Amino acid sequence: MLKMIAFDFDGTLAPTIPMVIDVFRRSVAPYVEHELTKQAIVQTFGLNEVGMVKAVAGQRWPVALAAFYQEYARAHLRVLAPYPGIVTLLELLQQQGVALALITGKAAKSCQISLDVTGLTSYFPTRLYGSEYQPNKADNLRQLMRTKSLDAAELLYVGDTRSDFEAADTAGVQCLTAEWDPNQPIVEAGDQIVFTSVEQLWVYLQRRLG
C-alpha cells in the first residue's frame, strides 16, 4: 500500500534549473580564477550549493556563497510558481491520505527560499536536503524509510533526472520520472516510468491508490 511520495524540487516541482545555473554563473564567477562555463557548473550537480561553490571557488567560497544566496533570492522572483497542476496534485494526494516529503539536492537555505517563493512550504513538513560532500539522495530515501517506518513498496520517489532514478534504485524505491518541462533534456528512459504531464502522473497514482 502506498503511504508516502517524496518529490525532488528542481525540474520536478518547479522550473528552476535554468535559474539556478544562471544565478550560479553570475554570482560565483567573480570569485573563480578560471572561466565558469555551464558544463563546469553542471559537473558540480549532485552536491548542494555549498559543495558546488566550494568545488569552484576554493578559499574564496564563503564570500562566493553569500553572493549566491543574495542573487538566488532576487532571481527567484522570476520563478514564482510551480509547474501547472502541481498544487492540485499535492492537494489530491493529501486528500487521499498520502504523506508528502521533499528529497532535494538543495541545501536547507536555498530550498526554503524556493518553497516560500513558489508557495509550496506547507505541503512538505518532511524535508531531506543535499550534502556538500557527495550525492546523498539514496541515503536520504533510506533514512526516510527508517524514520517513517516504511517498506520500500510504501514509498515512491518523483524526480526528473537519471541520477534520481539511480538513487531510488540504489535505495530499493521505485522512481517515477517527471518529463513535463519542454525546456529540459529528455531523460533516457531505460527502466523508468516516464510522465510527460502532471495529469498523467495523477492518473497513474490513482490506479496505485485503488
Side-chain angles (χ1 to χ4, degrees):
M1 178 182 175
L2 181 59
K3 294 183 178 180
M4 175 174 275
I5 300 178
F7 289 83
D8 171 51
F9 191 92
D10 295 313
T12 300
L13 294 175
T16 46
I17 292 177
M19 183 268 293
V20 171
I21 293 174
D22 181 58
V23 167
F24 194 91
R25 176 186 289 155
R26 289 189 291 108
S27 62
V28 178
Y31 305 97
V32 179
E33 295 181 356
H34 53 82
E35 182 183 1
L36 190 56
T37 64
K38 179 179 178 180
Q39 182 180 4
I41 296 169
V42 171
Q43 285 177 345
T44 68
F45 279 15
L47 306 177
N48 66 21
E49 61 267 17
V50 180
M52 291 172 66
V53 172
K54 284 184 174 181
V56 299
Q59 294 183 347
R60 304 181 74 187
W61 73 265
V63 65
L65 183 63
F68 171 85
Y69 282 131
Q70 183 177 25
E71 182 60 26
Y72 187 83
R74 183 184 301 116
H76 217 310
L77 297 179
R78 302 196 305 264
V79 186
L80 295 172
Y83 289 111
I86 285 293
V87 170
T88 298
L89 172 67
L90 299 178
E91 291 179 347
L92 288 169
L93 289 170
Q94 287 181 330
Q95 290 168 16
Q96 292 290 323
V98 178
L100 303 176
L102 189 69
I103 294 183
T104 174
K106 293 177 172 298
K109 185 168 184 175
S110 67
C111 182
Q112 191 61 63
I113 292 170
S114 290
L115 288 172
D116 288 344
V117 171
T118 57
L120 295 178
T121 301
S122 63
Y123 295 101
F124 297 103
T126 300
R127 305 168 200 167
L128 297 174
Y129 306 107
S131 165
E132 66 179 272
Y133 303 108
Q134 61 189 10
N136 68 337
K137 286 186 177 179
D139 290 338
N140 280 342
L141 284 164
R142 295 189 191 100
Q143 179 180 338
L144 188 63
M145 286 188 284
R146 287 195 305 271
T147 57
K148 300 299 182 181
S149 299
L150 297 170
D151 294 330
E154 297 172 323
L155 174 66
L156 289 175
Y157 186 53
V158 182
D160 67 304
T161 65
R162 184 73 187 179
S163 61
D164 289 334
F165 170 81
E166 291 170 349
D169 188 57
T170 298
V173 174
Q174 184 180 16
C175 182
L176 307 180
T177 299
E179 204 173 88
W180 43 67
D181 190 332
N183 298 313
Q184 291 299 108
I186 295 175
V187 177
E188 189 178 302
D191 296 329
Q192 300 172 75
I193 302 177
V194 177
F195 300 91
T196 56
S197 72
V198 178
E199 293 75 17
Q200 187 183 46
L201 172 60
W202 171 238
V203 170
Y204 173 85
L205 291 174
Q206 280 181 294
R207 294 199 297 266
R208 289 288 300 268
L209 293 168

